[in-house]
Amino acid sequence: MRAGNLLRQLDQRLLPPLTRAVARLGDRSSRSGVLSWAAVLSAAAVLGTAVWAVDDTPVGDRTVGEVTRVGVADGDSVPGYLRSAAADLAALPASAEAAEGGTYALVTLDAYLPPQRLATVLGDVGVSTVFGRVPLPGRQTEIVKIPALRVPDDVVAGMEQVAARKETEAADYRARAAAVDGDGVGERELREQYAGGAEVAAAEAAAYRTGCACVYAAVVRATPVALRGVAARPDVRAVDPAPEVYRLDRTVFTPPLPEQRDVVRPPADTGPSPTPTQSERPAPVISAPAPSTPVGESSEPAPVVTIPSPEPSEPEPTESAPPSATTSPDATLAEPSPSSPPS
């Protein structure tokens, strides 16, 4: 009931009796006392109604701001995580979830796979997102999250979008390097840092253009029986069920990288040449300012980017992440967010 309606009801119920009482009283002193009490009662009613109106605000979604995390955190034991995921999958009941479309789960792969291999590994379950990263030896490269309702077509399309963005980043780095004036030590180092950033971005662009073996995890939704079937396939490292997840836009998935075998820690950036086949000369460790927008949540110091969905056939919620992020060379300066554990 609104405050105005309550006040009107109070007026209708309180004022007529008070009026009749005043009419029956003849002496001035009694009338004055009754009016005083009426004023007190009216003030109390107004004050109580105001307090009630303040407390009667609608209750909104109490889950706003809450984030569910699935995966690993910095310092976690990878073997321990794999055992825990296997135990959770084995204990997952096979009844209630099937009627509502299944259970969300994080599928971690044993190695980086190309898009075409995903059809064999994930083809018979519903896929929401895949995680990709160009595994350049000794370099921290950017993690990307690609919405992929159709595998492998959406993954290939998402990689092409990443490649275009990386080519733009490489050109921007080269322009910044050319714009540095002076021949001092600081100027030379800055030019080298920008040049190294351009090399890494160009190498990532070239890899994604060719549909590289870069996918290492996926978010899927299926019945417990189907999830156990996925876990038994040769290329699958773990299936971590998340029955507590109902909304992907309030969930952060942090799968371990294939090379992380003992403890989750950021991969060392030793600065080799940014192409996997060349290791003749070390490249500088990049710490120059990035040409694009701020970093997002990540499972390693390199940032995460979400690729726009390529017009899915039906609406599917996606994980919240920034639309773009800095290229991986700048990750050496940016500390990981406390809420997003590094992998």
Side-chain angles (χ1 to χ4, degrees), residues 163-181:
R165 179 171 55 80
K166 287 295 178 180
E167 289 167 352
T168 301
E169 288 183 5
D172 189 50
Y173 270 127
R174 295 188 191 100
R176 287 169 177 256
V180 176
D181 294 328

Side-chain angles (χ1 to χ4, degrees), residues 8 30 60 85 106 119 124 134 139 186 198-199 235 259 280 306 335:
R8 282 192 294 272
S30 298
L106 176 61
D124 58 347
V134 179
R139 300 309 298 261
E199 290 178 357
D235 292 317
E259 60 268 28
E280 292 82 3
T306 296
E335 295 182 1

Side-chain angles (χ1 to χ4, degrees), residues 1-12 42 45-46 49-50:
M1 182 183 298
R2 296 182 179 274
N5 295 333
L6 182 60
L7 286 175
R8 282 192 294 272
Q9 291 188 11
L10 287 175
D11 289 342
Q12 294 171 359
S42 298
V46 171
T49 303

Side-chain angles (χ1 to χ4, degrees), residues 104-178:
Y104 284 110
L106 176 61
V107 178
T108 303
L109 304 179
D110 199 51
Y112 295 97
L113 297 182
Q116 290 72 20
R117 291 279 298 279
L118 298 178
T120 302
V121 179
L122 306 173
D124 58 347
V125 297
V127 182
S128 299
T129 306
V130 301
F131 289 76
R133 173 180 178 268
V134 179
L136 300 180
R139 300 309 298 261
Q140 293 178 356
T141 54
E142 180 181 352
I143 291 175
V144 295
K145 294 187 293 185
I146 302 175
L149 303 182
R150 298 166 298 178
V151 176
D153 296 343
D154 290 352
V155 182
V156 173
M159 285 185 171
E160 292 176 354
Q161 294 182 44
V162 178
R165 179 171 55 80
K166 287 295 178 180
E167 289 167 352
T168 301
E169 288 183 5
D172 189 50
Y173 270 127
R174 295 188 191 100
R176 287 169 177 256

Side-chain angles (χ1 to χ4, degrees), residues 42-131:
S42 298
V46 171
L47 179 60
T49 303
V51 173
W52 172 84
V54 171
D55 292 338
D56 195 41
T57 54
V59 178
D61 189 347
R62 298 184 183 276
T63 65
V64 171
E66 296 180 1
V67 176
T68 302
R69 301 186 180 278
V70 181
V72 295
D74 187 23
D76 284 353
S77 167
V78 174
Y81 168 72
L82 300 180
R83 289 192 297 268
S84 176
D88 291 344
L89 182 61
L92 192 65
S95 56
E97 294 83 356
E100 299 180 1
T103 300
Y104 284 110
L106 176 61
V107 178
T108 303
L109 304 179
D110 199 51
Y112 295 97
L113 297 182
Q116 290 72 20
R117 291 279 298 279
L118 298 178
T120 302
V121 179
L122 306 173
D124 58 347
V125 297
V127 182
S128 299
T129 306
V130 301
F131 289 76

